[in-house]
Amino acid sequence: MTTRIPTTAREGERRVVGNVLRGSIGNLVEWYDWYAYSAFTTYFAKAFFPGGDATAQFLNTAAVFAVGFLMRPLGGWLLGRFADRFGRRSALVLSVSMMAFGSLLIAATPGYASIGVAAPILLVLARLLQGLSVGGEYSTSATYLSEVATPGKRGFYSSFQYVTLVGGQLLALGLQLILQSVLTDAQMGDWGWRIAFVVGAIAAVLVMALRRTMDESASYQRVAAESGPGRQAGERGTLRTLVKYPKEIALVVGLTLGGTVAFYTYATYTQKFLENTAGIPRRTVTWILFIALLLFAILQPLAGRLSDRIGRRKLLLFFGIAGTVLTVPIMTTMAHTRQPVLAFLLLLGALVIVTGYTSINAIVKAELFPTRIRALGVGLPYALTVAIFGGTAELIAQALKKAGHESLFFWYVAGCILVSLVVYGTMRETSRSSALERDED
């Protein structure tokens, strides 16, 4: 389906806003489904794994979670290639369809007591689908939002990717709090946890229909029309084409390394860190994290709009310098405080620093690659870096804590940010004369 060209500037802006909203809502639902697994693990672990103690059951569900994480690079490759070959809209519809099926499968699968070993097998299958979906969702939505956004406002519009990413986590946590308030622990363990996945599946189906009404990006349509059915069409979204951009691939890895470690440290590991190390009560920690992440989400479009005015590189340098210098003092103080207000302020301060990366990371990467390889170029190196470094951040933290050297993790996070700072310091500004701008010339 060809996108109708708007006849006025006002109509064009309305269409941009509509496309961004539909794309962002889909991203919100995808990340809700992804985080619902970890949020409700304590309730469904015993349903899928037989006997044993709670720790063994949690380890089993954590292993399944890790499998889903490792599928993200494969999703970034497959769906990134699909988006470059067949269009951003089609890839986004496919992505949310896989997420819907994965959530529905978790919700409907009987427990181990009913179907035996088939229960954990089906759980793994569902998580594989969700991992593929999330891996492809990032690259495709980052590409789509950057391409449909109004020139001069791309930082602002693309920042909504992290608004919805964090929003999905907040929705999962919020639904858990609601269900906990109306159901007993026994009801939550028996069937209540399934509600979260039913909600996710239904929402994903609705988003699937909504995404079918989105406009295809003009950049993709132009490149598809120019390449036609011949040899050039076969070069779109291939690894053979991607390897022609080694500098850009290295930049994506360097851009992502420090940011993903910092994000997963503060957005996910902090909950366990404040409970186990600082000794702050669990319910208090939940509220600290919830409010801090809510404010963090609000900051994203503000920082994105700022990048449209002053450039992307300055925000990245702010994150790199502040993160390198302040990570160890922030985490050391957080580890020794027993005051919830101080812990909240420290966490919020850390998230403000991380905003220098999260608000613009998608648009910076999209501005590195031409249209024919943009989704794959953004998705594959990013997903590999997140799987290797972001996905292992908590594991490294827990291992160092167990070994009695927890403070080394603080230095590890600062070191990863320092590596990215070197990249930020040597890269050129991407908001001007970018591949996106050249596509439109």
Side-chain angles (χ1 to χ4, degrees):
M1 187 175 88
T2 303
T3 302
R4 184 176 68 83
I5 299 175
T7 57
T8 66
R10 180 174 294 181
E11 181 188 356
E13 191 68 20
R14 282 201 302 266
R15 293 183 73 87
V16 168
V17 172
N19 288 322
V20 169
L21 285 175
R22 283 175 284 186
S24 297
I25 290 172
N27 200 46
L28 176 73
V29 171
E30 289 247 10
W31 286 103
Y32 161 82
D33 283 324
W34 178 257
Y35 283 116
Y37 181 95
S38 57
F40 288 87
T41 292
T42 55
Y43 296 107
F44 69 74
K46 64 181 180 181
F48 288 98
F49 297 99
D53 58 22
T55 300
Q57 292 170 340
F58 292 160
L59 283 173
N60 284 326
T61 53
V64 177
F65 181 83
V67 167
F69 224 106
L70 293 175
M71 291 299 291
R72 289 175 62 173
L74 183 58
W77 171 49
L78 291 175
L79 284 175
R81 174 181 171 84
F82 187 91
D84 286 329
R85 294 294 297 275
F86 303 106
R88 319 316 191 193
R89 181 181 55 203
S90 297
L92 287 169
V93 171
L94 177 59
S95 171
V96 79
S97 301
M98 289 194 296
M99 183 60 77
F101 186 76
S103 293
L104 184 61
L105 188 58
I106 295 176
T109 297
Y112 187 93
S114 300
I115 61 173
V117 72
I121 290 175
L122 288 173
L123 180 64
V124 170
L125 176 61
R127 201 59 185 170
L128 290 176
L129 284 171
Q130 290 187 324
L132 284 171
S133 174
V134 167
E137 174 70 19
Y138 175 88
S139 60
T140 310
S141 63
T143 299
Y144 181 78
L145 291 177
S146 66
E147 289 178 349
V148 301
T150 307
K153 296 182 180 179
R154 288 195 172 109
F156 172 73
Y157 283 123
S158 65
S159 69
F160 282 91
Q161 184 174 47
Y162 255 85
V163 173
T164 51
L165 188 155
V166 175
Q169 186 175 1
L170 291 173
L171 283 179
L173 185 59
L175 180 60
Q176 184 182 41
L177 291 171
I178 292 172
L179 291 176
Q180 286 174 340
S181 67
V182 298
L183 299 176
T184 65
D185 283 344
Q187 290 172 325
M188 286 289 291
D190 289 340
W191 54 269
W193 61 268
R194 295 183 186 271
I195 295 174
F197 295 99
V198 171
V199 169
I202 293 173
V205 170
L206 293 175
V207 167
M208 180 174 60
L210 191 63
R211 279 186 164 179
R212 292 175 65 87
T213 67
M214 295 190 310
D215 295 329
E216 182 56 86
S217 82
S219 297
Y220 173 78
Q221 290 188 71
R222 183 162 46 251
V223 168
E226 290 171 355
S227 61
R231 181 181 64 84
Q232 286 185 321
E235 292 180 350
R236 296 203 310 267
T238 65
L239 290 175
R240 185 175 62 251
T241 304
L242 180 60
V243 296
K244 296 177 183 178
Y245 299 90
K247 180 180 178 181
E248 288 79 4
I249 294 171
L251 276 174
V252 171
V253 173
L255 284 164
T256 304
L257 174 58
T260 189
V261 171
F263 175 75
Y264 280 101
T265 295
Y266 293 120
T268 59
Y269 175 63
T270 296
Q271 187 167 17
K272 300 179 182 66
F273 180 66
L274 289 176
E275 288 179 25
N276 298 334
T277 300
I280 298 175
R282 178 176 298 179
R283 182 174 292 272
T284 303
V285 170
T286 300
W287 280 109
I288 288 173
L289 187 62
F290 186 91
I291 297 172
L293 287 175
L294 180 61
L295 295 174
F296 175 64
I298 294 171
L299 283 174
Q300 303 309 299
L302 300 178
R305 189 69 185 107
L306 180 63
S307 79
D308 289 324
R309 296 179 179 274
I310 68 173
R312 326 289 189 214
R313 187 168 173 267
K314 291 179 181 177
L315 263 69
L316 291 172
L317 287 171
F318 161 73
F319 161 67
I321 295 171
T324 301
V325 173
L326 297 177
T327 292
V328 173
I330 285 175
M331 296 200 71
T332 301
T333 306
M334 196 182 293
H336 293 94
T337 186
R338 298 296 183 270
Q339 299 297 322
V341 174
L342 178 57
F344 166 75
L345 292 174
L346 289 168
L347 177 57
L348 183 60
L351 290 173
V352 169
I353 293 171
V354 176
T355 296
Y357 163 79
T358 55
S359 61
I360 58 171
N361 83 96
I363 186 63
V364 170
K365 294 161 192 171
E367 287 172 336
L368 293 172
F369 294 93
T371 300
R372 69 180 183 278
I373 198 65
R374 183 169 294 134
L376 182 61
V378 171
L380 183 57
Y382 167 83
L384 284 169
T385 308
V386 170
I388 295 170
F389 294 99
T392 59
E394 183 172 331
L395 180 64
I396 293 172
Q398 297 284 19
L400 288 172
K401 179 177 177 62
K402 186 175 182 180
H405 302 289
E406 186 174 29
S407 61
L408 290 180
F409 178 69
F410 312 160
W411 289 98
Y412 169 75
V413 177
C416 289
I417 298 174
L418 177 60
V419 172
S420 288
L421 175 58
V422 173
V423 176
Y424 306 151
T426 56
M427 68 180 287
R428 62 181 180 176
E429 178 59 62
T430 64
S431 62
R432 302 176 186 88
S433 301
S434 70
L436 276 165
E437 303 297 335
R438 292 194 296 272
D439 285 344
E440 296 178 348
D441 292 340

